[in-house]
Each structure stands twice: as C-alpha cells, then as structure tokens.
Amino acid sequence: MNRLSLSFYTNIPTPYQEDFFNALNKICEFKAVYYAKTESDRNWENNLASYKLRYLKNSFVVQIIQKWFKDFHFSWGVFSLSMNEPAQWIILGGNYFAVNNLIAAIILKMRGKRLAFFTEKIKDGKSFKFWLKKMYLRYFLGHIDVIIYIGECAKESYHSYGFSRIKSIIIPYNIDIDLFDKRNLDLKKLDEIKDNLNVDGRIVILSSGSLIQRKGMDIVIDCFNSMEDTYRDRISLLILGSGEEEIKLKSKVISNQIKFLGFKQKNEIPYYFAISDIFLFCSRYDGWGLVINEAIASELAIISSDAVGASEYIREGINGFVIKNEDIAGYNVAICKLLDSSELLHQMKVENAKFKQAVSSQYNAEQLVSYLTSIAI
C-alpha cells in the first residue's frame, strides 16, 4: 500500500510544530510550506529539518502591513504552488483569515485536492464581528473536507458558529516527549542548574510563557506575594520567559525566592521543568498552551487557568487543578493543598507520567495519518 502524501501550509516554523512535522515525515510522504521564515517578535532557533520544506516570499506591500499585523503574510508564489501541488492531502494551518490560505483553498479545491484546516478555537465575537466571521468562514470552509481541531474547546467554538456538519478530528498541539525525559538530560548540567538556583529543600513552582499581560505572570507573582509566610518560605518560584512587562513584573517581587530565568531555547527548557514539582499557568487566554504539554511530559502537578485550551487535559484533583481565570485565592488554595500533602503531589505526578504519551507528536501524527488514510481519495 502506498504511503499517504501530505503537505502542510502554515505561517512560519515553530519549535514544537517541528516535532509534529518530524513525526509525520516518518510515516507519510511529507512536505511543509512556510509563508515566511520568521516574524518580528520570534526568538526561536530553527533546526535543520528532516522533512522537505519550502519557503514562500512575502510581497513588498506585506512589509508595510506587518507594522500593524505581524503575522500577516501574502506571497504571489502561493498561486504557482497551489497549481502544481502533487500531494493527496493538503492541510492549511494558521489563521482562517490568512490570504494565502484562502487563495490556496480555492485553487486546490478546483483541482480536486483533499483539504483539511488545522485550527484553534474561534475567539468570541459579538454582533457585527460575529456575523462577519460567520459569513467568511462559511465561504472558506466550503472548500474544506476535514477540520482538524486542536481540542474540544476549538470544536465547540466552531459548532457555536453553526459548523458542526463538516468531518472533523481532534489532534491537539503536541511535543516530542523524549526531550522532557530526565533519562535523556545531562545530569551534570541538571545539578549545576539546581545549585545555581539554590532550590534544594524547597517545593519548586515553575511558570513559563512570554512576559506579557495576556500570559498572566503578574497573577503568578501576586499569588506568591499574597501567601502566608509559612507557605511562601517553603517555595521557590521560577519564571521562564521574556517580554515587554519584565521590568514591571520584577518591581512586584518581594522575595529572593522568585527567580526570572529569561528566554530559553527549546533544548534548554526541559532542564527547568526537570527541577520543578508544580507547574502554575495563570494565562488570561490561550487557544491551547503547549506549556501544559511540557508539564505533563515532565510529570509535574499542574495548576492552570480555565482560560487555557489545554486545561481540558487536567482532571480536577487527579493530575492537577483548573482555576477560574484571575482567581488568586483559588490558585493559592490549590498550591496550599499540594504543599500540605506530599501524597497528593506525588499522585498527580504519577498520573501525568501515565498520561504523557497522549501529548506526544508520534502518537498524534499516527492518529492523523490513520484518519486521513481512512477517507477515500
């Protein structure tokens, strides 16, 4: 039986999308098409890909538009690309309003290609915006054979707009879980990091994300600051990431047990998860939140905002807690429960160890290819 041929069109390379693409490349004839090499606020290092790839070049006018919309892309090359695309299935990723995606969908559908759309939830809209999105999506999705939702949250949002009859599958964002296996880490380096951070004898709480208002790092610090001294003295709080609010956030610090780690590349991040016990994520909104995957792969207890898509992975009181958005008291209650019960903390770590295969790129690549193969060409 011939292997499925699959192309994935999306904005730019990202570290964790790379994990998924590498996994897909092992089980099908795979190619990635990127609308650009990077965007203005991205600091990721792109590794040498194991799969076929192609970069499109933005038109000149895009450089002007990107001053206001950094993730806007348009290339004249998308016309010839779509006209000559040989793959059986093409997945369009990224924003449903992406011009390149719309052009590709129209041309590829005219050629009789099978199309899938890989998507997060639709952000809530009211009145005019709601109907504008609905009219556009009705046209765009008319070219789509399968919607690939990143989670139940995304599926529910499309159903709320009336798009429930299109074939679909849930394939969450995923990671290479082997990167977070302590057996694959440099133990000498791990010990050096622990020594430098002076966290021995404390429960280590880690939060990871851009230091911007949406990610809620101010809530993380407020949680720590508002705790009773008897609890706070038992904690080391590590904050991984960089961003425009860094100075403001550091001004809120009242203890030397809050440590800002700065931005780290993909291969460095697992070390900080490996020295941690609890992962705290207070984001005000995240369509998914891959850091939850990382916490599961690292076998940590998790406390997450209910405004995070990946919180659907959390079974309340079993492998973590889900807290109402911005509820500082609620976060503190959850933290104190784990500090008060080493048995509960251990149980949650064990549960995530059992579950982590579900967040792996290999597992999700196999699920997707199996599903697409089952649909007649």
Side-chain angles (χ1 to χ4, degrees):
M1 182 177 177
N2 292 333
R3 297 210 305 173
L4 182 79
S5 59
L6 173 65
S7 289
F8 200 120
Y9 295 10
T10 190
N11 280 2
I12 61 172
T14 64
Y16 298 104
Q17 197 172 55
E18 182 181 73
D19 292 343
F20 190 41
F21 289 177
N22 283 328
L24 286 168
N25 189 53
K26 292 176 182 178
I27 57 176
C28 68
E29 298 296 330
F30 181 77
K31 176 182 68 182
V33 174
Y34 296 114
Y35 297 150
K37 289 189 175 182
T38 190
E39 291 168 352
S40 60
D41 63 343
R42 304 303 186 185
N43 298 312
W44 300 313
E45 292 177 354
N46 293 327
N47 298 321
L48 187 64
S50 65
Y51 47 85
K52 295 178 183 178
L53 61 85
R54 176 177 172 181
Y55 291 105
L56 299 185
K57 186 176 180 181
N58 279 321
S59 67
F60 175 75
V61 71
V62 169
Q63 298 175 31
I64 300 172
I65 297 174
Q66 283 183 339
K67 291 180 180 179
W68 295 276
F69 304 99
K70 63 179 176 58
D71 57 352
F72 178 84
H73 301 283
F74 168 67
S75 171
W76 291 107
V78 74
F79 288 92
S80 60
L81 171 75
S82 304
M83 288 298 297
N84 296 286
E85 175 59 65
Q88 297 166 304
W89 275 95
I90 299 90
I91 299 175
L92 304 176
N95 195 318
Y96 40 81
F97 281 124
V99 177
N100 283 340
N101 278 350
L102 178 59
I103 294 169
I106 293 170
I107 295 173
L108 290 165
K109 199 60 180 176
M110 287 175 59
R111 293 182 58 212
K113 294 292 183 179
R114 303 305 299 270
L115 298 181
F117 179 50
F118 192 78
T119 182
E120 296 184 0
K121 67 178 290 188
I122 307 173
K123 289 185 179 179
D124 295 335
K126 296 181 180 179
S127 60
F128 178 72
K129 285 186 177 180
F130 174 89
W131 291 107
L132 180 63
K133 284 182 182 180
K134 188 169 184 176
M135 286 188 292
Y136 174 82
L137 281 167
R138 183 175 295 161
Y139 177 73
F140 175 67
L141 294 176
H143 300 82
I144 301 298
D145 298 290
V146 171
I147 301 179
I148 305 169
Y149 297 116
I150 63 159
E152 288 290 345
C153 57
K155 183 176 181 178
E156 289 170 6
S157 74
Y158 274 79
H159 285 196
S160 71
Y161 274 74
F163 303 109
S164 59
R165 296 184 179 181
I166 302 173
K167 290 180 180 178
S168 67
I169 183 173
I170 293 178
I171 301 291
Y173 288 143
N174 48 79
I175 61 174
D176 180 355
I177 61 173
D178 289 343
L179 295 175
F180 292 84
D181 190 326
K182 288 185 181 179
R183 294 170 296 183
N184 297 328
L185 300 180
D186 182 334
L187 296 181
K188 182 179 178 181
K189 180 176 179 179
L190 191 63
D191 287 338
E192 288 175 354
I193 291 173
K194 288 177 71 174
D195 290 342
N196 290 337
L197 292 173
N198 190 27
V199 297
D200 278 343
R202 296 176 182 271
I203 296 294
V204 179
I205 299 178
L206 174 68
S207 194
S208 177
S210 300
L211 306 187
I212 57 176
Q213 198 267 349
R214 178 173 65 84
K215 291 290 185 178
M217 289 300 179
D218 57 316
I219 301 173
V220 171
I221 295 173
D222 287 342
C223 286
F224 183 90
N225 289 347
S226 63
M227 296 183 76
E228 294 180 9
D229 290 346
T230 52
Y231 285 108
R232 193 167 57 225
D233 291 343
R234 297 165 57 192
I235 297 170
S236 280
L237 175 60
L238 308 181
I239 296 177
L240 194 60
S242 61
E244 61 192 29
E245 292 211 333
E246 184 168 348
I247 295 174
K248 180 181 176 182
L249 291 170
K250 286 181 174 179
S251 71
K252 296 168 69 70
V253 170
I254 64 171
S255 167
N256 60 7
Q257 288 307 318
I258 298 180
K259 297 178 172 65
F260 288 81
L261 307 177
F263 175 83
K264 303 295 179 183
Q265 294 293 343
K266 178 180 173 181
N267 63 331
E268 298 177 284
I269 289 173
Y271 287 90
Y272 297 95
F273 277 83
I275 65 173
S276 302
D277 301 289
I278 301 168
F279 186 72
L280 176 62
F281 195 46
C282 302
S283 179
R284 292 181 169 91
Y285 173 81
D286 254 278
W288 186 249
L290 267 170
V291 289
I292 299 293
N293 295 51
E294 294 173 338
I296 291 170
S298 303
E299 303 173 16
L300 305 185
I302 302 169
I303 303 171
S304 172
S305 161
D306 65 356
V308 174
S311 66
E312 65 188 54
Y313 274 152
I314 299 173
R315 291 162 292 155
E316 187 68 20
I318 305 298
N319 67 333
F321 297 104
V322 179
I323 309 300
K324 187 176 179 180
N325 192 12
E326 301 196 55
D327 181 4
I328 292 175
Y331 286 118
N332 281 352
V333 167
I335 293 169
C336 292
K337 282 183 180 179
L338 293 173
L339 293 178
D340 286 336
S341 175
S342 58
E343 183 179 345
L344 179 60
L345 179 59
H346 175 71
Q347 171 202 310
M348 289 188 173
K349 291 181 177 183
V350 170
E351 288 299 321
N352 279 321
K354 294 177 187 175
F355 181 62
K356 63 183 180 180
Q357 191 62 38
V359 308
S360 74
S361 295
Q362 178 182 338
Y363 172 79
N364 284 284
E366 290 171 354
Q367 294 293 108
L368 177 60
V369 170
S370 175
Y371 178 76
L372 295 181
T373 302
S374 70
I375 300 176
I377 302 299

